[in-house]
Amino acid sequence: MTRLEISHLPLDGLKLITRHRLGDARGSLARLFCAEELALAGWAEPIAQINHTVTPKIGTVRGMHFQLPPYSEMKLVTCLRGEVYDVAVDLRQGSATFLSWHGEILSADNNRSMIIPEGFAHGFQTLTDDVELLYCHTAPYVAGFEGGVRAIDPLLGIVWPMKIALISERDSAHNLLTDSFTGIFV
């Protein structure tokens, strides 16, 4: 029996994972990661790093982050507490959906995760207070290979569900994209 349902999203390689919970009087169990099942969604590498974020304030935006080759990474993003609007932007050079974005609501209650492919920027906005996310990465974080785009970049036109209440100085300082940006070769 599969415990993970894989849905294809509008951007090539972007996947929504819905976990099937098993439960009884004791509580429930949900599989967060299964290499065999996630291989069907394109997850081919071992997990190189797992990160956990805690974001206390509703309306906070974190992102939009990515890593450059050779440390490009695929991410599996899961909400453990609260609710977020999780967004991925296709930055892949030559992609048919280059500079397109897609967002999904991930929450502790809806049992969903998103697989973000290599060459995508990723970020989220908290829709509740006290949000926790768990990220599985296929590559380790390497400071010299990190990149970012502004969450409010007009060229992307991301529509956030609410007014941005808080964003870091670092995330606000990312350069705006220009017409000369040709993308990331992955």
Side-chain angles (χ1 to χ4, degrees):
M1 172 182 152
T2 61
R3 300 274 179 91
L4 305 175
E5 178 183 325
I6 300 164
S7 302
H8 300 274
L9 295 171
L11 306 181
D12 185 39
L14 189 63
K15 306 284 192 291
L16 184 67
I17 308 300
T18 303
R19 297 179 308 282
H20 298 286
R21 277 193 182 157
L22 300 176
D24 58 27
R26 300 168 297 163
S28 66
L29 171 117
R31 184 167 290 159
L32 291 179
F33 186 91
C34 175
E36 184 178 329
E37 288 186 54
L38 289 175
L40 300 172
W43 191 282
E45 301 294 324
I47 294 173
Q49 190 168 298
I50 299 174
N51 293 320
H52 176 240
T53 61
V54 176
T55 309
K57 184 175 176 157
I58 188 172
T60 299
V61 169
R62 287 184 179 232
M64 306 292 295
H65 306 137
F66 59 91
Q67 286 201 154
L68 296 164
Y71 298 101
S72 296
E73 62 185 350
M74 183 177 269
K75 296 178 187 177
L76 175 67
V77 182
T78 302
C79 186
L80 299 177
R81 183 170 62 172
E83 183 175 82
V84 299
Y85 187 63
D86 204 57
V87 174
V89 176
D90 188 351
L91 299 177
R92 297 172 297 180
Q93 189 176 72
S95 169
T97 55
F98 178 62
L99 296 184
S100 297
W101 64 273
H102 181 80
E104 289 284 335
I105 292 176
L106 305 180
S107 73
D109 295 328
N110 72 8
N111 297 314
R112 291 180 170 173
S113 298
M114 216 159 49
I115 290 183
I116 316 292
E118 292 180 7
F120 277 64
H122 170 259
F124 66 88
Q125 182 174 44
T126 57
L127 302 178
T128 62
D129 286 328
D130 300 318
V131 168
E132 291 186 49
L133 292 184
L134 185 75
Y135 299 77
C136 296
H137 303 260
T138 58
Y141 170 77
V142 179
F145 292 86
E146 69 180 328
V149 296
R150 275 199 218 169
I152 57 167
D153 192 310
L155 197 59
L156 299 176
I158 298 170
V159 179
W160 297 101
M162 61 181 60
K163 183 179 178 189
I164 295 174
L166 184 63
I167 190 166
S168 73
E169 276 187 45
R170 183 182 132 218
D171 287 348
S172 295
H174 293 306
N175 291 328
L176 291 173
L177 296 175
T178 65
D179 291 335
S180 64
F181 178 68
T182 60
I184 300 169
F185 180 76
V186 288

